Amino acid sequence: MTDRAVPKALLATLMGRRQAVPPVWLMRQAGRYLPEYRALRARKGGFLALATDPEAAAEVTLQPIRRFGFDGAILFSDILMVPWALGQDLSFGVGEGPRLAPPLADHALAALRPRPERLEPVYRTVRHVAAALDPATTFLGFAGSPWTVATYMVAGQGSKDHGETRRYAYRDPAGFSDIVDAISDMTVDYLSRQIEAGVEAVQLFDSWAGSLSPEQFERWVIAPNARIVAALKARHPATPVIGFPKGAGAKLPAYARETGVDAVGLDETVDPVWANGTLPVGMPVQGNLDPLALEAGGAALDRGIDRVLAAFPERPLVFNLGHGIGQHTPVEHVERLLARIRG
Ligand code: CP3
């Protein structure tokens, strides 16, 4: 079959071709709000066991596609697989969030022994999903951006204002640069292997980009993302890259211009009308319904959807949330969202 016979609305949009009905996927669409996810996770005994079992991880990737028919399937994995492959221990305790050990706040990066083979199950997951996915659905790979991943590697866990990592970056910029470079190199490899195994576009999640001052944002968000995008483009020029610098706010246009990403994800604090007027003409955007409007449902949900749709009258739009779907979101609200967008 030719490309023309197999229209993929999401991939086409990411390549700059606006669709009459915007394609939809939701960040964190495979996860705890789905009863079928919770059941499989309980059987496998935890998140990491699930994410490193290619058959099970492929099943979780496909669950939201089967239930809702989203235009995109996102690989079931986690941004913390890269620190794990860089040699930190990784665990996801129930109710306490992820832990990485030893934290780089007080351990040298050079003391870690890289274990890239830890990523092999992810590539097998990609091959399983690629073989099973229907031809209209676009398959998305992903990784965390260096800054966001570094906040976990330095603190050893999630942190509120990322103060420990920001302090590290000021105190020892050369040492911090080594951490960011190690993450970047592994990420280029990781995303290239995902693409070679069958993903059709990739997203860089920079969930904590919003905690940096403008100067630090240039150095630790824009510069390493630009390096990653350039390296990916050298190897896989046709594969679109979505950048999601959550919380970037007024720094978003610089991010869009300077990183080389093909499309930008907008978080829910960004005014979509402002974004449409400010971002480069023709650049595809993704976003940006408030995940809490989806959780609330009803008129608040309808209003939020309409506002996003109306803000981008000509620009290629991928409908998404401004951040990941919350675990308490009723599945009927997701059905309502799809019905309203697709008409
Ligand atoms: O989007 C998808 O459905 C694909 C899978 C995916 C997961 N994590 C699975 C997961 C993706 C794209 C991620 C990205 C991720 N992971 C980010 C960036 C996006 C964001 O939400 O900001 C971050 C910061 C992480 C790190 C992480 N992983 C945290 C902080 C946690 C615990 C808290 C939480 O949000 O659940 C995880 C665990 C995790 N990753 C779960 C899932 C489904 C929950 C594990 C479980 O309890 O079953």
Side-chain angles (χ1 to χ4, degrees):
M1 261 190 274
T2 66
D3 269 343
R4 225 182 288 278
V6 185
K8 291 179 182 268
L10 173 52
L11 189 58
T13 305
L14 294 173
M15 290 175 161
R17 296 200 294 278
R18 180 183 167 85
Q19 308 293 298
V21 176
V24 190
W25 69 281
L26 303 182
M27 289 187 276
R28 309 296 290 270
Q29 66 189 20
R32 284 171 296 190
Y33 73 109
L34 289 178
E36 58 269 37
Y37 169 80
R38 295 194 298 268
L40 190 54
R41 179 178 176 276
R43 260 202 288 138
K44 289 290 163 187
F47 177 81
L48 197 56
L50 192 53
T52 53
D53 176 332
E55 281 82 19
E59 168 61 22
V60 174
T61 304
L62 294 168
Q63 281 173 346
I65 309 307
R66 274 195 217 109
R67 188 188 264 272
F68 302 115
F70 289 123
D71 295 280
I74 182 155
L75 168 68
F76 183 75
S77 181
D78 197 84
I79 67 165
L80 301 181
M81 298 302 272
V82 163
W84 194 46
L86 285 169
Q88 283 181 307
D89 293 330
L90 172 62
S91 61
F92 291 87
V94 178
E96 57 166 31
R99 291 290 152 94
L100 288 166
L104 295 183
D106 48 22
H107 282 80
L109 174 71
L112 297 181
R113 187 164 72 88
R115 307 277 301 273
E117 69 280 5
R118 285 175 165 171
L119 299 174
E120 291 295 329
V122 179
Y123 311 133
R124 287 202 292 279
T125 303
V126 173
R127 285 193 288 271
H128 283 302
V129 174
L133 207 58
D134 75 278
T137 310
T138 301
F139 188 12
L140 303 168
F142 74 94
S145 286
W147 165 254
T148 290
V149 172
T151 65
Y152 290 94
M153 291 189 76
V154 169
Q157 57 187 314
S159 54
K160 215 165 167 206
D161 63 359
H162 319 112
E164 204 167 9
T165 311
R166 287 159 58 210
R167 262 180 229 110
Y168 190 128
Y170 280 119
R171 189 178 65 236
D172 179 9
F176 190 66
S177 185
D178 289 344
I179 296 175
V180 164
D181 286 348
I183 298 168
S184 300
D185 291 345
M186 180 71 80
T187 299
V188 168
D189 224 64
Y190 183 46
L191 290 174
S192 297
R193 295 279 312 270
Q194 290 181 31
I195 293 165
E196 284 148 24
V199 307
E200 298 164 301
V202 296
Q203 174 154 321
L204 288 161
F205 282 89
D206 219 337
S207 303
W208 312 132
S211 60
L212 292 170
S213 70
E215 201 189 0
Q216 298 292 91
F217 184 88
E218 277 286 338
R219 180 154 189 194
W220 306 121
V221 172
I222 292 185
N225 280 303
R227 236 193 88 208
I228 290 171
V229 174
L232 286 174
K233 292 287 173 192
R235 295 197 208 176
H236 303 285
T239 305
V241 180
I242 309 164
F244 175 56
K246 182 174 178 290
K251 302 189 279 304
L252 196 63
Y255 177 95
R257 282 192 312 268
E258 295 170 24
T259 55
V261 296
D262 298 279
V264 284
L266 311 176
D267 68 72
E268 70 274 14
T269 68
V270 175
D271 178 346
V273 174
W274 171 82
N276 190 48
T278 312
L279 290 170
V281 173
M283 177 181 262
V285 294
Q286 175 175 281
N288 75 336
L289 179 72
D290 188 341
L292 294 184
L294 180 60
E295 188 179 318
L301 171 57
D302 292 349
R303 225 174 20 248
I305 293 168
D306 294 350
R307 191 168 153 64
V308 173
L309 294 175
F312 303 104
E314 284 163 24
R315 190 180 285 277
L317 169 67
V318 174
F319 199 99
N320 205 313
L321 301 175
H323 196 197
I325 184 170
Q327 62 171 310
H328 303 296
T329 306
V331 294
E332 306 80 58
H333 295 188
V334 178
E335 286 159 1
R336 180 177 178 128
L337 171 137
L338 285 163
R340 192 164 185 94
I341 295 169
R342 292 176 173 169

